[in-house]
Amino acid sequence: MDKPKVVLGVSGGIAAYKACELLRRLTESGHDVRVVPTASALHFVGEATWSALSGNPAGTEVWESVHEVPHVRIGQEAELVVVAPATADMLAKAAHGLADDLLTNTLLTARCPVVFAPAMHTEMWENQATQENVATLRRRGAIVIEPAVGRLTGVDTGKGRLPDPGEIFEVCRRVLARGAGQPTADLAGRHVVISAGGTREPLDPVRFLGNRSSGKQGYALARTAVARGARVTLVAANSELPDPAGADVVRVGTAVQMREAVLAAAADADAVVMAAAVADFRPAQYAEGKIKKRDGREPEPVALVRNPDILAEISADRARPGQVVVGFAAETDEVLANGRAKLARKGCDLLVVNEVGERKTFGSEENEAVVLGADGSETAVPHGPKESLADIVWDLVAPRLF
Ligand SMILES: Cc1cc2nc3c(=O)[nH]c(=O)nc-3n(C[C@H](O)[C@H](O)[C@H](O)COP(=O)(O)O)c2cc1C
């Protein structure tokens, strides 16, 4: 079988060297990658590197191998074009349809999904011209990944950093996995809030009540939503997973902190998906010093108090009309009956019910679930990667959006 053809466009930003890692991931996962750098990109990483790593020519101009008409053919044959890093200049050219080198020609001839991963100084990113170019590209169906916040070219930090190449690769993988016939950016223009991980409720400065949630399902929801064009806020509790490219990650520790962060982000959200394992209870008392073991004495019992029920609260009091609220129910027995009762109790639109246990779901790469709808619908999701379940959740959310 022919390998899927991917074009990796590289424009002239300092992060061009990170595209070598993205190229490696794409080739090692079985893609035929044609790197199309701009002339500026070659100031940062030379043609020999792109050509040797990809096994393909890596010219910048339309005047090379003219008999093969590369300015048309490369775009036509691609199943995905990803531009990483995308400079402010490249976003402007793409938004205005300029075609003065091989990459800009390729962008005009591509009929496949196109992903841009911009990277630049914060001022360039926030400039109204850049923002309007990004909005234009998104409106036309391109996936433009929000840059990360962090160290920039010099000593300065801010928004504009290229996300981790491994995470850009994940977005590409998700876009390719959606395949032909499915809309790429069906969540474009939408803001979705996702909670992930497990809250920790401190007993004293060194101990907490926690749970086994790894955050993988919530992170998979964030990645798939980015790959479908959404603006994503990920409220993550105690997860060590890398930040998904393009998601705005808000880190929290406890259920009370999670409530605050989710309510703040949900104010303008089209959908809220509560995938986090939020502790139902927390210790009534927090000991300022470490609780000591006292010779010959039994420990004091730990009194618990209820935590806020975030899912019920946002379901009952929607921040905007038509906001879609999705909950997750982790059950150990009577899975479906308990799920139906929980859906009715919480008042959310969809409830993803899965069975959990020491070796099931928590921390695993795979999941199996039934998605119950408040309208009586029931969607069985067979055993598979957490990203497949995530895509099914978005398939069910998308038509419910106002
Ligand atoms: C050291 C250096 C670093 C640069 N880094 C960036 C960058 O990260 N993002 C960006 O948009 N432009 C950056 N530029 C400016 C671009 O290289 C310049 O706009 C160029 O015209 C882009 O051409 P291209 O879009 O055809 O690749 C940088 C320039 C220099 C000299």
Side-chain angles (χ1 to χ4, degrees):
M1 243 173 62
D2 284 347
K3 294 177 173 179
K5 284 185 164 39
V6 172
V7 172
L8 171 57
V10 184
S11 48
I14 194 81
Y17 73 95
K18 295 186 186 170
C20 299
E21 170 71 15
L22 176 58
L23 171 56
R24 264 264 188 260
R25 301 243 181 173
L26 287 165
T27 54
E28 282 175 5
S29 55
H31 300 92
D32 177 10
V33 188
R34 171 86 190 225
V35 181
V36 185
T38 63
S40 297
L42 296 187
H43 285 291
F44 296 96
V45 179
E47 186 175 343
T49 302
W50 302 121
S51 189
L53 285 179
S54 67
N56 280 316
T60 61
E61 300 304 326
V62 295
W63 308 111
E64 295 155 30
S65 308
V66 174
H67 63 289
E68 290 174 0
V69 215
H71 76 286
V72 178
R73 195 178 48 81
I74 295 172
Q76 280 176 338
E77 289 180 353
E79 284 168 56
L80 173 75
V81 177
V82 50
V83 184
T87 55
D89 175 65
M90 183 51 57
L91 296 171
K93 284 180 171 169
H96 292 276
L98 298 191
D100 61 356
D101 65 3
L102 189 54
L103 179 54
T104 45
N105 276 270
T106 299
L107 287 168
L108 284 184
T109 53
R111 291 279 173 275
C112 60
V114 177
V115 175
F116 291 93
M120 63 199 71
H121 266 82
T122 312
E123 294 84 345
M124 290 176 98
W125 173 250
E126 288 177 350
N127 188 289
Q128 206 178 338
T130 305
Q131 287 301 308
E132 284 177 17
N133 291 330
V134 168
T136 300
L137 292 167
R138 285 182 175 151
R139 203 173 55 249
R140 291 187 195 141
I143 305 291
V144 184
I145 302 174
E146 284 288 306
V149 176
R151 181 91 186 261
L152 302 172
T153 317
V155 290
D156 40 359
T157 60
K159 188 162 186 172
R161 194 176 153 83
L162 190 76
D164 177 61
E167 290 299 315
I168 300 174
F169 168 70
E170 290 300 332
V171 174
C172 296
R173 212 168 56 81
R174 294 315 306 158
V175 172
L176 280 163
R178 296 258 306 148
Q182 288 176 300
T184 307
D186 60 345
L187 296 177
R190 303 295 192 172
H191 177 209
V192 302
V193 176
I194 300 153
S195 73
T199 62
R200 290 181 182 174
E201 310 299 328
L203 266 167
D204 69 17
V206 294
R207 303 184 181 94
F208 57 82
L209 297 181
N211 61 64
R212 294 176 188 276
S213 176
S214 64
K216 285 181 182 166
Q217 185 60 64
Y219 277 61
L221 281 153
R223 279 182 177 152
T224 48
V226 168
R228 291 169 75 150
R231 175 160 77 85
V232 176
T233 304
L234 176 64
V235 182
N238 308 300
S239 178
E240 299 192 346
L241 299 169
D243 289 356
D248 185 10
V249 183
V250 182
R251 293 188 190 285
V252 296
T254 65
V256 169
Q257 290 166 356
M258 173 154 283
R259 175 181 173 275
E260 259 176 50
V262 168
L263 290 186
D268 72 343
D270 297 286
V272 184
V273 181
M274 291 292 297
V278 183
D280 292 325
F281 311 106
R282 66 176 183 276
Q285 296 290 332
Y286 172 73
E288 297 291 341
K290 186 182 168 200
I291 301 168
K292 294 267 187 294
K293 185 167 66 180
R294 281 170 295 182
D295 285 345
R297 302 222 339 236
E298 289 301 312
E300 295 291 326
V302 176
L304 299 175
V305 291
R306 289 181 82 106
N307 265 330
D309 187 335
I310 310 170
L311 180 59
E313 188 175 343
I314 52 172
S315 299
D317 191 11
R318 313 265 168 146
R320 56 194 282 188
Q323 186 175 67
V324 177
V325 178
V326 184
F328 270 67
E331 302 288 348
T332 51
D333 55 324
E334 305 262 4
V335 176
L336 272 188
N338 284 335
R340 279 204 188 86
K342 182 167 175 180
L343 176 69
R345 215 168 48 242
K346 303 283 182 178
C348 50
D349 301 288
L350 293 165
L351 189 75
V352 184
V353 188
N354 51 28
E355 195 174 346
V356 294
E358 261 186 62
R359 283 195 184 73
K360 268 189 183 160
T361 299
F362 283 138
S364 122
E365 300 299 332
E366 307 208 310
N367 211 343
E368 183 180 335
V370 177
V371 187
L372 303 177
D375 54 5
S377 64
E378 204 172 297
T379 310
V381 185
H383 190 80
K386 289 185 170 172
E387 270 134 4
S388 303
L389 170 58
D391 260 329
I392 291 170
V393 170
W394 297 125
D395 288 345
L396 292 167
V397 167
R400 287 172 165 82
L401 292 170
F402 207 39

